[in-house]
Amino acid sequence: MSKDKQFVSEITPQGEDFSRWYIDVIKKAELMDYSPVRGCIVFRPDGFEIWEHIKDAMDERFKATGHRNAYFPMFIPESFFQKEKEHVEGFNPELPWVTEAGGEKLEERLAIRPTSETMIGHMYSKWIQSYRDLPVLINQWANVVRWEKRTLPFLRTSEFLWQEGHTAHENEEEAREETMKMLEVYREVIEEVLAIPVITGQKTPSERFAGAVDTFSLEAMMRDGRAVQAGTSHYLGTKFAVAFDIKYLSRDNNLEYAHTTSWGTSTRLIGSMIMVHGDDRGLALPPKVAPTQVVMIPIGPPKTRDAVLARTDELFADLKKAGIRVKVDDRSDVSPGWKFNEYEMRGVPVRLELGPRDMENGVCVLVSRISGEKKVIEQARLVEEVQAMLEQVQREMYERAKGFMNEHFYDVDTLDEMKALMEEKRGFTLAGWCGSETCEDQVKEVTGATSRNIPFKPAVVKETCLCCGKPAAHTVVFARAY
């Protein structure tokens, strides 16, 4: 079997089996591999570099809004979880415990960090004494462990990488402002860097973070119509401050509890990006996070090889100097066609082809991974033309994903209508909800869909509940989710 045919056969078409396509692509593109520990993965260099670019984009914005990075222990005493009842009940099913160390049984069990509100609450109670100590604006980049029963690489693993912001404020107004500010930071990165359109809104009470007063989320639509929660921001009120005694002496000389927030995104953004943009040819990576933005492929017979390679190296240096992440594939043991397929599968945004005739004419060819457009450009304008095509690819990826979401977004009036839609089509539905948990549970039982959020800007406002027919308290996005 030729290498070209072998390549095509190794990726299951999306329409045949989307989950199989996803696994085929992330393994074939060498983003990850399975570890010997159940539910855990190894990030291979390309997969980790994508995370580094996401991390850099987030971190830059965090610091621009006054936040600083710190690090807290991954082991959390069991007694900490007992202080906030709702919190421990929410996480207890997923907690792994350390009970023995150094050959001796521990006096108190230690949880491996599922999230850090309790540990950070304990530390803030020591650091915060006066209103002069507020606000505290801290973020940490860390790993967390949640012992998932069903796992899927990047999207849901027992151990994953993330950032978690934790802030403390004098009053509710400032804390809520922080909660929404960070939600907007997330939206900006997810839409403008990852080219993923999202729906921002508030979680229903049954879906909010354990221990939060209010939870806000960003929901993204995958190409199979399922939802992924791309990020969350929580207003915690004074719940954790009361539990961990985070008090400060106010401007009026009174002891008051701080108002706290937490917010987080994780490596599930990588999985979301793959499922939003990928196609039957493989990955499609937004230029802003692609490990390789441009791959250069010299073409031509052996007698011209040295001259073409010499010119390729010169153009490579120009692109590299301009800060473009570029790679040259000058292997002679595989065909140009095989290379074209290989880098399309790996999602490289732009391909540059250079042959002997191109050299004679002082041109080269740029090819877009997204549109397939081939553009002959002058070598003298290489940097400007490459930058323009990268910007175009980034823009087109967002527009394509936005168009797909719009085409697969439906509004329904009844539960029967939603059930039929979920069985016949893929996508999100917008429906009225009276606010009762009974009706929300009924939607899940009948359709398999869960409430994703109450969008800030719904396309239409529903007047009646899809289950009971009573007046709708909210218009809600429902979808099946990962």
Side-chain angles (χ1 to χ4, degrees):
M1 181 183 289
S2 72
K3 287 185 177 179
D4 291 33
K5 290 182 179 178
Q6 185 180 7
F7 161 79
V8 172
S9 69
E10 290 178 355
I11 296 180
T12 304
Q14 287 186 351
E16 182 179 316
D17 186 335
F18 190 82
S19 295
R20 186 70 251 169
W21 166 86
Y22 177 74
I23 297 298
D24 288 347
V25 165
I26 59 177
K27 291 201 70 178
K28 175 71 178 172
E30 298 179 331
L31 298 185
M32 54 69 65
D33 204 348
Y34 293 103
S35 86
V37 180
R38 188 196 72 82
C40 298
I41 64 171
V42 175
F43 284 72
R44 300 189 69 172
D46 271 2
F48 193 75
E49 186 171 336
I50 291 170
W51 177 239
E52 287 180 310
H53 292 311
I54 296 171
K55 179 177 180 289
D56 290 345
M58 291 277 191
D59 209 51
E60 178 184 358
R61 288 164 174 81
F62 294 163
K63 289 173 180 174
T65 49
H67 301 81
R68 300 188 68 193
N69 290 329
Y71 185 78
F72 298 83
M74 70 182 298
F75 297 114
I76 301 175
E78 183 175 12
S79 58
F80 282 22
F81 285 94
Q82 305 304 328
K83 292 184 178 183
E84 215 297 317
K85 184 180 178 183
E86 188 179 349
H87 188 68
V88 70
E89 288 177 351
F91 279 102
N92 198 46
E94 301 174 337
L95 287 179
W97 294 97
V98 177
T99 59
E100 185 179 314
E104 297 181 3
K105 188 173 181 179
L106 299 178
E107 291 184 10
E108 181 179 9
R109 293 196 303 175
L110 299 175
I112 301 176
R113 171 178 53 215
T115 183
S116 297
E117 278 78 6
T118 57
M119 175 61 72
I120 291 175
H122 173 80
M123 299 310 300
Y124 281 8
S125 70
K126 297 172 63 177
W127 298 345
I128 297 169
Q129 305 298 325
S130 162
Y131 71 88
R132 295 183 180 87
D133 300 322
L134 296 170
V136 177
L137 307 175
I138 285 180
N139 173 69
Q140 81 162 339
W141 295 93
N143 62 335
V144 293
V145 176
R146 297 178 186 175
W147 212 248
E148 299 279 0
K149 293 181 180 178
R150 296 178 58 201
T151 62
L152 186 63
F154 297 122
L155 285 176
R156 193 173 291 278
T157 50
S158 296
E159 179 194 20
F160 54 92
L161 306 179
W162 79 344
Q163 59 72 213
E164 50 178 322
H166 297 269
T167 69
H169 306 263
E170 288 187 61
N171 53 54
E172 178 175 350
E173 182 182 359
E174 289 181 12
R176 285 192 175 277
E177 182 182 345
E178 165 79 5
T179 303
M180 303 313 293
K181 179 192 297 182
M182 302 321 293
L183 192 73
E184 174 58 19
V185 167
Y186 288 160
R187 186 210 60 77
E188 185 178 303
V189 172
I190 295 167
E191 292 200 333
E192 297 179 14
V193 177
L194 293 172
I196 299 174
V198 290
I199 299 164
T200 55
Q202 183 173 353
K203 285 288 192 181
T204 64
S206 68
E207 292 287 331
R208 69 186 171 209
F209 178 73
V213 174
D214 289 313
T215 289
F216 303 90
S217 75
L218 308 102
E219 305 291 331
M221 184 188 293
M222 307 299 101
R223 288 191 69 80
D224 64 348
R226 289 181 177 265
V228 167
Q229 181 178 282
T232 50
S233 187
H234 318 287
Y235 169 59
L236 305 177
T238 58
K239 286 188 175 184
F240 284 86
V242 170
F244 289 90
D245 202 32
I246 309 173
K247 293 178 180 177
Y248 70 95
L249 195 63
S250 73
R251 298 170 193 271
D252 298 327
N253 228 30
N254 296 317
L255 268 180
E256 296 185 11
Y257 287 109
H259 290 251
T260 64
T261 79
S262 67
W263 27 275
T265 57
S266 75
T267 40
R268 69 167 28 200
L269 287 174
I270 299 174
S272 302
M273 175 195 68
I274 294 164
M275 285 190 172
V276 166
H277 298 303
D279 56 29
D280 285 345
R281 290 178 291 162
L283 295 179
L285 299 178
K288 291 184 180 181
V289 296
T292 300
Q293 295 173 313
V294 179
V295 60
M296 304 179 71
I297 300 178
I299 300 170
K303 64 181 179 180
T304 65
R305 178 175 172 80
D306 289 345
V308 171
L309 287 179
R311 183 56 180 152
T312 299
D313 288 342
E314 292 173 354
L315 297 177
F316 170 87
D318 291 341
L319 293 174
K320 194 81 172 175
K321 185 178 179 181
I324 295 167
R325 298 188 291 275
V326 58
K327 172 183 177 178
V328 175
D329 189 339
D330 58 1
R331 290 176 293 172
S332 59
D333 60 336
V334 290
S335 70
W338 189 91
K339 293 177 185 178
F340 296 168
N341 282 338
E342 175 74 5
Y343 293 106
E344 282 191 350
M345 180 274 298
R346 291 182 179 272
V348 176
V350 173
R351 182 173 79 237
L352 186 153
E353 302 168 12
L354 181 67
R357 187 171 298 176
D358 299 319
M359 288 181 58
E360 292 174 10
N361 297 325
V363 299
C364 56
V365 178
L366 299 183
V367 184
S368 164
R369 167 64 177 85
I370 293 302
S371 68
E373 175 194 5
K374 286 192 172 186
K375 188 174 183 181
V376 178
I377 58 116
E378 296 178 8
Q379 292 178 19
R381 289 184 46 80
L382 176 65
V383 171
E384 297 94 322
E385 293 284 359
V386 166
Q387 289 173 333
M389 183 168 278
L390 289 172
E391 290 173 4
Q392 178 183 337
V393 169
Q394 183 82 27
R395 183 172 60 253
E396 288 178 349
M397 291 184 75
Y398 177 81
E399 290 170 352
R400 186 173 75 167
K402 182 72 170 177
F404 179 87
M405 185 167 73
N406 290 341
E407 291 168 8
H408 295 83
F409 212 115
Y410 313 95
D411 65 273
V412 299
D413 295 314
T414 67
L415 188 58
D416 287 341
E417 191 179 351
M418 180 185 284
K419 184 174 184 291
L421 261 173
M422 289 291 178
E423 291 174 352
E424 298 168 9
K425 299 180 179 181
R426 53 182 173 171
F428 290 6
T429 58
L430 199 62
W433 174 56
C434 64
S436 84
E437 195 169 326
T438 300
C439 286
E440 189 177 4
D441 289 343
Q442 189 179 357
V443 172
K444 184 176 182 179
E445 183 180 340
V446 172
T447 70
T450 55
S451 62
R452 304 316 306 158
N453 65 24
I454 302 165
F456 296 143
K457 298 178 181 178
V460 295
V461 176
K462 293 295 187 175
E463 296 182 355
T464 59
C465 177
L466 80 163
C467 291
C468 66
K470 293 179 181 178
H474 305 285
T475 299
V476 178
V477 174
F478 291 92
R480 292 173 178 169
Y482 283 97

